[in-house]
Amino acid sequence: MAEAVSQESSREADLEVLAARFDPEVDRELLQLALTHRSYAHEAGGVPTNERLEFLGDSVLGLIVTEYLYAEHAEVPEGSLAKMRAACVSQRALAVVARELNLGAAVLLGRGETNSGGADKDSILSDTLEALLGASYLSVGLERTRVTVLQLLDASLRNAAKAGAALDWKTSLQERSAELGLGVPWYEVSYTGPDHAREFTAQVIVADVVRGHGVGTAKKHAEQRAAEEAFASLAGEDA
């Protein structure tokens, strides 16, 4: 009993430390939910996961970053703005921010994910950060969440113009394929594993030829990795 009380007190202290780094005004129940990965929820008997908050936070993040880039880069065309946004909100970029917040130490994971290093996986860290932004939006509204996003992503936003295309491999591949007259790439995606621990495998086909493969914990991540491989395979071909 005493050990359980001690663990609960330690958890509450950890949440307060995270809240101080992120935003002290975020509702603590929503903060706890934002940190609840599906692997933990599954082992805990089906408690709610952070996936709905992640869905919301992804949209909030996209809006804030899009609006910022639109205002700051008035002469940049839509296609380039899309690539800049992709660079800022990529899994890799968000995972960097999540590590700065030490999210890996706070996220609740199942035993399997814990043992496989889930606390330092880019996919889990980036998804958890998006869930936190969803919790922030529900707790303190859009304007305060905007301040948080702009602070957390300051470096990415300042470097967006330089980062650009390479981080949005699907767009880059589509443009390269069009330049070569090969048509629009299309993707075949499959997955294995239970709902709480799925692994997606994607292959991208260009002009009836499989050009790239990718694996990830989300469909979009597997497709991006397949597109990166395919882009590399087309890089040396002439139009």
Side-chain angles (χ1 to χ4, degrees):
M1 180 67 177
E3 182 178 352
V5 171
S6 176
Q7 289 178 343
E8 182 64 25
S9 298
S10 176
R11 179 65 183 169
E12 290 178 2
D14 290 342
L15 289 178
E16 291 305 315
V17 170
L18 176 60
R21 291 196 193 106
F22 183 73
D23 186 331
E25 297 289 325
V26 174
D27 179 84
R28 294 303 184 269
E29 289 188 9
L30 286 174
L31 181 63
Q32 177 82 0
L33 180 58
L35 297 169
T36 305
H37 187 260
R38 62 187 177 186
S39 61
Y40 178 90
H42 176 74
E43 291 184 8
V47 300
T49 77
N50 64 4
E51 290 177 338
R52 282 170 52 84
L53 282 177
E54 177 197 339
F55 170 77
L56 176 61
D58 177 67
S59 295
V60 171
L61 174 64
L63 172 62
I64 292 170
V65 170
T66 299
E67 183 181 60
Y68 174 88
L69 294 173
Y70 180 87
E72 290 294 313
H73 302 276
E75 305 304 319
V76 174
E78 178 271 339
S80 297
L81 286 174
K83 292 177 182 180
M84 291 163 66
R85 178 179 60 196
C88 292
V89 302
S90 70
Q91 181 182 102
R92 188 181 310 170
L94 296 183
V96 169
V97 174
R99 289 187 179 95
E100 292 171 352
L101 291 170
N102 199 25
L103 276 191
V107 64
L108 293 170
L109 299 171
R111 288 186 295 275
E113 278 292 358
T114 299
N115 293 336
S116 66
D120 195 46
K121 288 182 180 177
D122 282 2
S123 57
I124 290 177
L125 291 173
S126 60
D127 290 349
T128 304
L129 180 59
E130 289 178 339
L132 277 178
L133 293 174
S136 174
Y137 174 77
L138 292 177
S139 298
V140 300
L142 180 61
E143 293 311 312
R144 181 154 178 157
T145 302
R146 187 193 312 280
V147 172
T148 298
V149 168
L150 296 182
Q151 289 176 340
L152 292 175
L153 271 64
D154 178 62
S156 292
L157 291 168
R158 284 188 284 106
N159 293 324
K162 292 181 286 186
L167 294 182
D168 183 13
W169 293 111
K170 289 183 69 174
T171 300
S172 297
L173 175 62
Q174 184 167 325
E175 291 176 348
R176 181 59 177 157
S177 180
E179 290 172 0
L180 296 172
L182 298 177
V184 178
W186 59 282
Y187 297 81
E188 292 182 347
V189 182
S190 60
Y191 65 84
T192 58
D195 287 348
H196 67 280
R198 283 183 176 172
E199 181 175 81
F200 291 82
T201 300
Q203 63 176 18
V204 58
I205 300 164
V206 181
D208 298 325
V209 177
V210 176
R211 290 284 190 167
H213 296 83
V215 177
T217 55
K219 177 183 175 183
K220 62 182 179 181
H221 302 145
E223 289 180 341
Q224 282 285 348
R225 288 166 185 159
E228 180 179 1
E229 185 176 291
F231 183 84
S233 77
L234 295 177
E237 298 198 9
D238 296 326

